[in-house]
Amino acid sequence: MNGYVRVPKGTMVYPTGDGVEASSTRDQVVKVAKIFDVDVKSDNFYLLLPDEMRLRYFEASGSKRPIDPDILEFADRLTRGDYRAVEWSTKWALIANLQPAEAPARAKTGKKLDAPEKKSPTKQQQMVTGSVWRFTEDTELRYKVRNPAYAAVRDDIESGLRQLPSYVRTQTVEAKLSELGVIDHLDEPWGPVKAGETFTVRSKLTPGFAGGQDVPMLFRGEKFTLPYTSLEPVIELVTDR
């Protein structure tokens, strides 16, 4: 902790806030901010999974059924059995992909660097499990449900493309689904809320799932998955934990 690690070029790096994971474009030495777990009970486990596994992981965790063994085997290989990650600045990567490193020369000589400008946390960053939020105005909310036709249409398209390499097949399938206008989740009306009504965040943010920034919430005793973008303009933080 508070030491340094080398992030080799090509290492998969994940943003701690909004953003898309990407491989590191260069070797770099960074100062460790913290080390945390990325096992199946953590908020970041789903980021390690390919899209197909990610969907099955959410279906299992939402219904409280066991996680499929192939998902666990994939993650075990990816993490090399060490389900921990190192965070620095605004990014993190699996500890198995990093190497211990000496502090950079400028850190050893005590040269002061310009302190990064502190930014106030966004609503999405504040929206952690256990936080309480209030609606600032009356509004109509919408939520997402699985499209029953999506899986069948996707399987039909994939069955005719099995001779293609996997990455080409995936791109072709997505293009065909888009052309047909078939989406994985449908937008449905949830109902009205009144200004002053509060809710508690029940589960973690799940960026990218169901086509957007979706936030599993506890509303009136029931769990719903609502698009974050539809909530952000009409909510304010009451307590952060």
Side-chain angles (χ1 to χ4, degrees):
M1 297 293 283
N2 297 319
Y4 289 84
V5 291
R6 182 178 303 281
V7 184
K9 181 178 180 180
T11 300
M12 190 57 68
V13 175
Y14 302 87
T16 54
D18 293 343
V20 179
E21 65 270 19
S23 55
S24 177
T25 57
R26 60 184 176 85
D27 285 1
Q28 57 179 321
V29 173
V30 298
K31 186 174 184 180
V32 176
K34 70 175 181 178
I35 296 174
F36 59 93
D37 294 329
V38 286
D39 60 21
V40 292
K41 296 180 181 179
S42 78
D43 288 350
N44 297 298
F45 179 76
Y46 75 99
L47 290 172
L48 306 177
L49 305 175
D51 289 344
E52 181 271 334
M53 285 187 177
R54 188 175 299 176
L55 186 58
R56 285 192 284 125
Y57 168 71
F58 278 116
E59 290 172 341
S61 59
S63 63
K64 306 303 181 185
R65 67 176 175 80
I67 305 298
D68 293 340
D70 67 313
I71 294 177
L72 300 178
E73 290 171 6
F74 171 85
D76 198 52
R77 290 196 307 272
L78 191 68
T79 62
R80 301 176 201 171
D82 189 341
Y83 281 72
R84 293 181 299 161
V86 169
E87 180 180 320
W88 67 92
S89 182
T90 58
K91 299 177 181 179
W92 62 270
L94 289 171
I95 202 168
N97 295 331
L98 309 178
Q99 305 157 1
E102 291 290 329
R106 62 186 179 185
K108 289 180 179 178
T109 58
K111 180 180 178 182
K112 289 188 177 180
L113 302 176
D114 292 336
E117 181 182 350
K118 283 193 173 182
K119 296 182 179 179
S120 299
T122 65
K123 286 184 181 180
Q124 188 177 353
Q125 290 168 336
Q126 293 175 302
M127 195 168 281
V128 296
T129 301
S131 60
V132 179
W133 296 77
R134 178 190 297 116
F135 285 100
T136 57
E137 60 185 76
D138 297 353
T139 190
E140 291 279 341
L141 296 177
R142 303 183 71 83
Y143 71 108
K144 293 181 183 293
V145 294
R146 293 291 305 277
N147 180 359
Y150 179 81
V153 174
R154 187 182 185 96
D155 287 346
D156 287 344
I157 297 172
E158 284 186 331
S159 64
L161 302 172
R162 299 197 183 280
Q163 74 282 3
L164 296 177
S166 60
Y167 72 95
V168 176
R169 183 168 64 247
T170 298
Q171 292 176 341
T172 305
V173 169
E174 294 300 332
K176 187 63 176 176
L177 287 168
S178 178
E179 179 185 330
L180 295 173
V182 179
I183 56 178
D184 57 350
H185 283 69
L186 303 174
D187 193 42
E188 298 285 350
W190 183 83
V193 293
K194 294 288 187 181
E197 183 174 346
T198 61
F199 64 89
T200 301
V201 177
R202 179 173 179 174
S203 299
K204 67 180 180 62
L205 295 172
T206 55
F209 182 57
Q213 301 284 356
D214 297 342
V215 189
M217 298 287 184
L218 185 65
F219 277 92
R220 300 169 183 157
E222 296 184 73
K223 184 178 178 181
F224 290 88
T225 300
L226 294 162
Y228 169 75
T229 50
S230 69
L231 296 172
E232 196 273 340
V234 293
I235 59 174
E236 63 182 7
L237 180 65
V238 180
T239 59
D240 58 4
R241 284 284 181 181

